[in-house]
């Protein structure tokens, strides 16, 4: 099966800066693919390489089997939802949505009909006459989505589309985007720095750092079996344990990841260490407790309502050996 | 740690007063910002209201007087006779000539200015941007008259332009152009083509800067979005860049159009002996001593600009402001 998007040894250097460095990547047709990483990790540059706004300095990019280097953005059947939406301020909502059809020469009546349909798809029917300036952030986001989808792209690129929305709206949109992607069957490539968003929405996640892909896999895979310290730390803020520590507590002499929610507080059985409580924070459904043990700071997340030790108190941390995930990185 | 232990014995006052008149004045202005605004605006408003608009109204008043053709004295009775004089063939000719020149200069300035402004707004960074501003502003630092006389030499029959075209074996092209009616003449420096070239040169900065400012405000991702949605560069220009730069183009055209309408020095030095509005005003109020007609001529550009702005507003040129 041909990949929807395929990177072979792709690099994009800006002078001495290696924004994307020798990346190999295969995105399958119809999947919801997330590119996750901190800012400056190269995920957005990868997206721009697919859209055609950037050209690779090395390697080759194929979209559905067709080589895409040197092909300008306007000849790619790929559309983008921009981070700050990039709606045309001088056009009303309907003309914004119909823009792609207009430049392709679709008749006014036909493109009006299709644009109205696209607005219905994103639950903004009847908003066509308004100007982008009269819409809320969430509504603008939907218009940007409709403007991309009306062109029936083979691949839809989303550049941190939910970044500017407040939490409640963001959660709603996450669900809606997921449903939309299922219903349309279009390949979605979603860039985000929010690991929760990536894990909850994507079929597969690529974790970026320093212009390279650290790991690609299903969300569960990434979360439970991080291959490197970076992935363990960035995805779900795992406890990254140094080799000496791991060697003392029943593992090989390797870096290991221990998820905060797998740590139990104040129980003597199982593998464990004693430490001093340094900080506690209330997170709503859970509490996070920071404990210093044998020179390592560990975070434990315990359900709210369980008794918590005081700051400065001695406590015992325990976990079952199976939860201590040894990483490939030495 | 108790709170009292943190505060030292001689703590600074919580709401210390600033003594003196300056302190009291600052406080008053802070409490009543409108007083400060009024005081700051008073001198320029007086200037604008009395000196500037006042003289304009005095002028308007003059245009409704007429001149006694035998005595040459001004008849201070309101009449529209002077405005009627504007429609005499010779005078109408002057008005049409000036408006056509102003329109062509504006159009040419916009066409020349856009790519320069586009480059400056979207690509020039750091020292190139500084160089751009220097290049635009530098001609404005030298005297207007010096520049025009320099152009007279450049455009003269013995000038560098003729010489250069001859070297390129393109002298025949210039001769063919100069032999055309109306735009031609003995040499470029005594033709309307010469007047046009110098007008475009002199007013170009006033067109570049507003367009650049307008393009600067167009977010780069709108161009990318247009391209992403399938628009070729030409389509992006027509559908996104041009509409969003239009307020800047209109602002620039107000400068180039009105400055050309009113100028009397450039056509005096470079061009034919046929008059433009500015020259007509100069001649009527000077040698001819017909102040009312001079005033009526002056009202023409004001009225034309009024219609121009009204039309631009109707076209939505100011919607994106």
């Amino acid at each position: 099966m041909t990949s929807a998007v395929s990177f072979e040894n792709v690099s994009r250097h800006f002078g001495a800066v290696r924004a994307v460095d020798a990346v190999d990547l295969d995105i399958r047709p119809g999947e919801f693919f997330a590119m996750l990483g901190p800012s400056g990790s190269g995920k957005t540059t990868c997206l721009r390489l697919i859209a055609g706004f950037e050209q690779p300095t090395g390697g080759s990019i194929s979209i559905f089997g067709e080589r895409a280097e040197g092909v300008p953005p306007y000849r790619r059947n790929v559309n983008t939802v921009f981070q700050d939406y990039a709606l045309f301020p001088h056009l009303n909502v309907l003309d914004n949505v119909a823009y792609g059809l207009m430049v392709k020469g679709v008749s006014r009546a036909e493109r009006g009909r299709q644009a109205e349909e696209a607005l219905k798809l994103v639950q903004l029917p009847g908003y066509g006459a308004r100007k982008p300036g009269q819409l809320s952030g969430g509504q603008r986001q939907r218009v940007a989505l409709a403007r991309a989808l009306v062109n029936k792209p083979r691949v839809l690129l989303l550049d941190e589309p939910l970044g500017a929305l407040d939490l409640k709206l963001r959660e709603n949109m996450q669900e809606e985007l997921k449903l939309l992607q299922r219903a349309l069957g279009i390949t979605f490539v979603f860039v985000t720095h929010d690991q929760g968003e990536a894990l909850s929405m994507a079929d597969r996640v690529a974790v970026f750092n320093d212009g390279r892909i650290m790991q690609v896999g299903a969300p569960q895979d990434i979360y439970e079996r991080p291959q490197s310290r970076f992935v363990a730390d960035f995805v779900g803020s795992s406890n990254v344990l140094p080799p000496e520590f791991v060697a003392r507590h029943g593992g090989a002499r390797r870096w290991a990841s221990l998820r905060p929610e797998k740590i139990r507080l104040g129980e003597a059985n199982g593998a464990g260490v004693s430490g001093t409580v340094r900080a506690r924070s209330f997170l709503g459904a859970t509490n996070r407790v920071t404990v210093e043990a044998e020179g390592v700071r560990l975070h434990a997340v315990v359900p709210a309502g369980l008794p918590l030790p005081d700051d400065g108190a001695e406590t015992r941390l325990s976990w079952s050996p199976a939860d201590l995930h040894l990483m490939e990185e030495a | 740690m108790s709170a009292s232990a943190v505060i030292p014995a001689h703590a600074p006052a919580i709401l210390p007063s600033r003594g003196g008149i300056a302190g009291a004045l600052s406080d008053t202005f802070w409490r009543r910002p409108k007083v400060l605004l009024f005081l700051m605006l008073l001198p320029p408003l007086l200037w604008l209201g009395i000196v500037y608009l006042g003289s304009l109204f005095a002028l308007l008043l003059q245009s409704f007087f007429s001149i006694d053709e035998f005595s040459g004295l001004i008849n201070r009775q309101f009449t529209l006779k002077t405005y009627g004089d504007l429609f005499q063939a010779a005078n109408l000719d002057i008005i049409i000539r000036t408006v056509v020149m102003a329109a062509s200069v504006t159009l040419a300035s916009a066409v020349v200015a856009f790519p320069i402004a586009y480059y400056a707004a979207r690509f020039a960074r750091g020292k190139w941007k500084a160089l751009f501003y220097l290049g635009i502003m530098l001609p404005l630092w030298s005297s207007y008259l010096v520049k025009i006389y320099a152009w007279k030499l450049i455009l003269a029959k013995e000038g560098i332009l003729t010489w250069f075209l001859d070297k390129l074996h393109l002298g025949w092209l210039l001769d063919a152009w100069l032999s055309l009616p109306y735009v031609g003449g003995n040499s470029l420096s005594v033709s309307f083509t010469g007047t046009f070239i110098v007008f475009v040169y002199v007013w170009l900065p006033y067109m570049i800067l507003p367009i650049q400012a307008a393009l600067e405000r167009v977010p780069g991702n709108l161009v990318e979005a247009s391209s992403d949605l399938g628009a070729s560069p030409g389509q992006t220009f027509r559908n996104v860049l041009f509409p969003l730069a239009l307020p800047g183009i209109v602002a620039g055209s107000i400068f180039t159009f009105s400055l050309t309408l009113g100028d009397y020095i450039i056509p005096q030095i470079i061009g034919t002996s046929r008059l433009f509005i500015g020259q007509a005003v100069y001649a009527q109020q000077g040698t001819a001593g017909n102040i009312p007609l001079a005033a009526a001529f002056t009202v023409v550009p004001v009225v034309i600009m009024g219609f121009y702005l009204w039309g631009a507003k109707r076209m939505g040129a100011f919607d994106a402001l």
Side-chain angles (χ1 to χ4, degrees):
Chain A
M1 188 167 59
T2 32
S3 303
V5 177
S6 163
F7 277 34
E8 269 174 57
N9 201 25
V10 169
S11 294
R12 177 66 175 99
H13 298 173
F14 297 95
V17 181
R18 300 171 170 219
V20 172
D21 200 20
V23 162
D24 288 303
L25 178 63
D26 274 296
I27 298 172
R28 298 169 195 149
E31 80 174 332
F32 198 128
F33 191 86
M35 296 187 183
L36 174 68
S39 55
S41 60
K43 58 191 193 306
T44 297
T45 308
C46 272
L47 197 79
R48 293 173 60 81
L49 284 165
I50 303 173
F53 303 136
E54 303 284 351
Q55 292 296 323
T57 42
S60 77
I61 299 175
S62 316
I63 300 173
F64 283 96
E66 292 177 36
R67 290 285 291 267
E69 301 100 76
V71 178
Y74 53 88
R75 287 207 285 112
R76 296 182 183 213
N77 201 354
V78 166
N79 288 111
T80 308
V81 176
F82 290 82
Q83 187 170 12
D84 41 10
Y85 319 136
L87 299 179
F88 303 120
H90 58 298
L91 301 179
N92 67 24
V93 167
L94 196 75
D95 288 342
N96 260 288
V97 175
Y99 189 87
L101 303 172
M102 188 261 290
V103 296
K104 283 182 199 82
V106 177
S107 76
R108 174 168 280 279
E110 176 59 20
R111 65 181 190 247
R113 197 185 60 72
Q114 290 190 30
E116 194 52 55
E117 219 163 80
L119 282 174
K120 223 173 275 166
L121 192 67
V122 297
Q123 295 168 25
L124 283 180
Y127 277 68
R130 303 197 192 184
K131 283 279 179 87
Q134 296 168 298
L135 301 180
S136 71
Q139 291 170 333
R140 269 182 241 181
Q141 213 270 318
R142 286 159 189 270
V143 173
L145 193 60
R147 185 177 69 172
L149 288 175
V150 80
N151 302 293
K152 304 193 169 55
R154 298 294 297 276
V155 181
L156 184 74
L157 308 173
L158 302 108
D159 185 7
E160 309 229 5
L162 309 181
L165 304 182
D166 57 51
L167 184 65
K168 190 81 196 144
L169 208 52
R170 197 155 67 215
E171 285 172 350
N172 286 342
M173 277 309 287
Q174 287 178 6
E175 240 178 83
E176 245 179 77
L177 274 179
K178 186 79 199 150
L179 290 173
L180 205 59
Q181 192 266 340
R182 290 254 172 79
L184 297 172
I186 295 174
T187 311
F188 274 35
V189 181
F190 186 95
V191 159
T192 180
H193 63 266
D194 181 332
Q195 47 99 8
E197 208 163 270
L199 296 183
S200 70
M201 296 169 79
D203 297 323
R204 285 196 309 147
V205 179
V207 184
F208 280 75
N209 188 37
D210 273 342
R212 290 170 174 276
I213 292 182
M214 306 305 286
Q215 192 172 348
V216 184
Q220 291 83 352
D221 253 13
I222 300 265
Y223 189 80
E224 284 165 15
R225 287 179 289 282
Q227 287 167 0
S228 57
R229 278 186 280 165
F230 175 81
V231 175
D233 184 49
F234 190 76
V235 180
S237 312
S238 194
N239 293 298
V240 177
L241 305 174
E244 303 77 49
F245 187 97
V246 177
R248 273 199 302 279
H249 297 282
R253 203 175 173 76
R254 294 248 291 279
W255 286 91
S257 155
L258 180 60
R259 291 289 166 194
E261 65 275 15
K262 303 288 190 191
I263 297 181
R264 292 183 301 275
L265 273 181
E267 285 176 33
N269 49 355
V273 288
S274 294
T276 312
V277 175
R278 290 295 178 214
R280 297 169 302 168
S281 31
F282 176 59
L283 304 177
T286 55
N287 280 297
R288 190 175 62 210
V289 183
T290 308
V291 177
E292 195 169 326
E294 300 178 10
V296 178
R297 270 181 179 253
L298 291 157
H299 298 287
V301 170
V302 294
L306 292 186
L308 288 183
D310 289 327
D311 282 354
E314 291 290 315
T315 188
R316 186 156 176 83
L317 306 176
S318 55
W319 56 85
S320 50
D323 290 330
L324 192 72
H325 168 71
L326 297 175
M327 292 186 284
E328 286 167 14
E329 188 175 345
Chain B
M1 209 183 328
S2 69
S4 62
V6 181
I7 301 171
H10 298 286
I14 305 224
L15 308 172
S17 82
R18 296 235 180 125
I21 297 172
L25 218 54
S26 298
D27 288 0
T28 311
F29 286 151
W30 183 84
R31 273 184 228 114
R32 326 191 108 197
K34 281 187 181 156
V35 174
L36 180 63
L37 196 64
F38 175 75
L39 287 177
M40 284 197 300
L41 283 180
L42 194 61
L45 279 179
L46 283 177
W47 171 267
L48 194 73
I50 296 170
V51 180
Y52 202 80
L53 289 178
S55 55
L56 201 65
F57 279 113
L59 180 86
L60 196 66
L61 200 65
Q62 291 279 345
S63 70
F64 289 103
F65 297 157
S66 61
I67 197 160
D68 189 303
E69 278 163 27
F70 297 107
S71 61
L73 292 175
I74 292 168
N75 181 4
R76 292 176 192 278
Q77 272 192 337
F78 288 123
T79 169
L80 289 174
K81 177 182 166 298
T82 315
Y83 281 104
D85 290 347
L86 282 181
F87 292 96
Q88 287 172 4
N91 291 338
L92 204 58
D93 214 31
I94 293 173
I95 293 170
I96 290 168
R97 178 180 307 128
T98 311
V99 171
V100 169
M101 177 61 82
S104 350
V105 167
T106 299
L107 205 65
S109 298
V111 171
V112 176
F114 197 95
I116 300 173
Y118 183 77
Y119 164 77
R122 305 200 63 86
F123 298 106
R125 293 286 172 270
K127 93 173 167 205
W128 290 107
K129 194 119 187 171
L131 216 61
F132 159 79
Y133 279 117
L134 201 69
I136 303 301
M137 301 297 206
L138 201 62
L140 299 178
W141 297 351
S142 64
S143 160
Y144 172 72
L145 278 176
V146 170
K147 285 184 289 182
I148 296 168
Y149 277 110
W151 270 104
K152 185 157 182 88
L153 294 179
I154 292 170
L155 297 175
K157 210 173 189 61
E158 309 79 22
I160 189 167
L161 201 63
T162 314
W163 172 82
F164 189 66
L165 285 174
D166 277 339
K167 287 283 174 208
L168 291 176
H169 302 287
L170 289 172
W172 57 273
L173 205 65
L174 181 63
D175 290 336
W177 182 260
L178 287 176
S179 66
L180 291 174
Y182 212 69
V183 297
N186 272 332
S187 76
L188 277 175
S189 66
V190 292
S191 69
F192 283 140
T193 308
T195 322
F196 168 81
I197 290 171
V198 178
F199 267 135
V200 172
Y201 164 79
V202 171
W203 306 142
L204 195 58
Y206 300 96
M207 183 63 97
I208 295 175
L209 292 175
I211 297 181
Q212 186 239 353
L215 285 174
E216 200 100 35
R217 284 198 301 267
V218 178
N221 64 9
L222 292 188
V223 176
E224 284 187 349
S226 172
S227 178
D228 184 74
L229 292 166
S232 66
Q235 286 174 316
T236 297
F237 174 79
R238 276 199 304 284
N239 296 309
V240 178
L241 273 179
F242 183 75
L244 290 174
L246 197 60
I249 297 173
V250 170
S253 72
I254 289 168
F255 287 121
T256 57
F257 194 72
S258 66
L259 287 169
T260 311
L261 280 183
D263 194 85
Y264 72 102
I265 295 179
I266 291 172
Q268 182 85 16
I269 297 171
I270 294 167
T272 70
S273 57
R274 282 169 289 185
L275 298 182
F276 283 76
I277 288 180
Q279 291 167 286
V281 172
Y282 183 75
Q284 292 299 340
Q285 67 88 34
T287 39
N290 190 345
I291 299 273
L293 187 58
F297 259 121
T298 314
V299 171
V300 172
V302 177
V303 171
I304 291 173
M305 282 315 294
F307 277 111
Y308 185 76
L309 291 179
W310 177 70
K313 190 175 179 322
R314 290 264 321 238
M315 272 173 53
F318 306 117
D319 288 359
L321 284 185

